[in-house]
Amino acid sequence: MSTSTATPARAREPFDRRLARGVQAVTGRPLAPYQSAIIRIGFSLTWLLFLLRELPHRYQLYGPDGPWSWEMAQRLIADNRAFTVLLWSDGRIWFEVVYGLAVLSAALLLVGWRTRAVSVVFMVGVLSLLNRSVFVGDGGDNVLHIVSIYLVFTRCGRVWSLDARRAAREDRAARAGEPARRDVVGPLLWVVLGGFLLAVTWFSDVSGEWWVPVLLWVLWLGNGLWWLVCRIAPGEPRTLLDVLANLAHNAALVVIMAEVCLIYATAGWYKIQGSRWQDGTALFYPLHLDYFSPWPALSELLGASGIMVMLLSYGTVIVQVAFPFTLFNRKVKNVLLVAMMMEHAGIAVLLGLPVFSLAMISADAVFLPTAFLVWLGARVAGGRDRLLKRTPAGTLPEQRRTAEEHGPRTLVG
């Protein structure tokens, strides 16, 4: 009896109420905080490891000793208008400064220190180095290039970061009635980045596309407005800024998901058109190239089995083509997600493409289940506490609200 009466009542729910609930869902809070955090950690770690690995060869890759000379880089940037600050000067000192800031920003983004500001510096470092020598990379640089732009729109420091720890500490102090600590680092960092933006504007003719300096100015002014509103108008103006930040975060996550699906769909459909993929022999050839054989014995052992090569070739195509169509089936999606991550791990080991593999695994992480990420975070935190021999300070914040909690503050409720 109760079931038959509940169903029509739900069907008769007014459209405006359903619309308001939908708007509240995308504006009330940043969705998928654990997924955005794992993307932040994955891509910053990938970029950091790449920069450290290539530290002895940095001059040949992106610096003044590279085959892509200063004059050639100037002509390329004048033609494609790609953003880079390395064309401000051809001196070694300026190159070292940019490379050092790229390493520092990757390390700070990895631990989640001042993620709003550091993510912008991270983006500038990625674009500057990758656009300086466009022929250096293995495919993972393209993914890094794109996601570094999307990251500045996400609130990726809500969990698993020093920012989250600092916010929790300030919240405990506020509930205990302690006076708020004065934030000196934030305004100082804002002023320093403002000086950098003046330099970007001054060198805009040789920096590349006009929209990058405009984006940097918008982000800089937006963060300044956020800091000001939080201190002098924490009511409705703060709620409005929260709504805008949540919208930008959620939209950026959707774009990252769409980008991952597009990468796999296009890769899979292009493979289908290739004769080597159709007859199942495509993987035989890279396994027998010295350039893609960091472990020759392992590559030879795998490439000697025709059945294994055929299964891996067909399996790669099937997984890549099918994945975008399985997003609405959680169980099938999770199975294919594991298969794709294992595929990229195999590419890293067998073909010697660790940067590409780490970048794709980091991008795939946007689809990982929240329950698994919470469990993983708890295990990592427990291992850290046992290693440091300390008592856990608390539990991880939950993403989902219980029925007793109030809804988030939004413009619609």
Side-chain angles (χ1 to χ4, degrees), residues 25 30 54 67 70 95 99 112 147 162-163 171 213 225 227 254 260 271 277 290 297 307 336 369 379 394 407:
E54 302 298 345
W70 172 263
F95 173 78
Y99 201 93
V147 176
L162 295 181
D163 288 348
D171 183 63
L225 180 62
W227 182 88
V254 171
V260 174
K271 286 182 174 67
W277 290 99
D290 293 338
I307 296 178
L336 291 187
R379 300 286 81 77

Side-chain angles (χ1 to χ4, degrees), residues 312-349:
L312 290 177
S313 299
Y314 286 155
T316 299
V317 175
I318 292 173
V319 169
Q320 291 182 350
V321 173
F323 179 74
F325 300 99
T326 64
L327 296 182
F328 299 101
N329 189 311
R330 183 177 303 177
K331 293 182 179 179
V332 178
K333 182 263 295 181
N334 291 339
V335 171
L336 291 187
L337 189 61
V338 173
M340 287 193 302
M341 289 185 171
M342 293 178 63
E343 172 191 330
H344 289 301
I347 291 174
V349 175

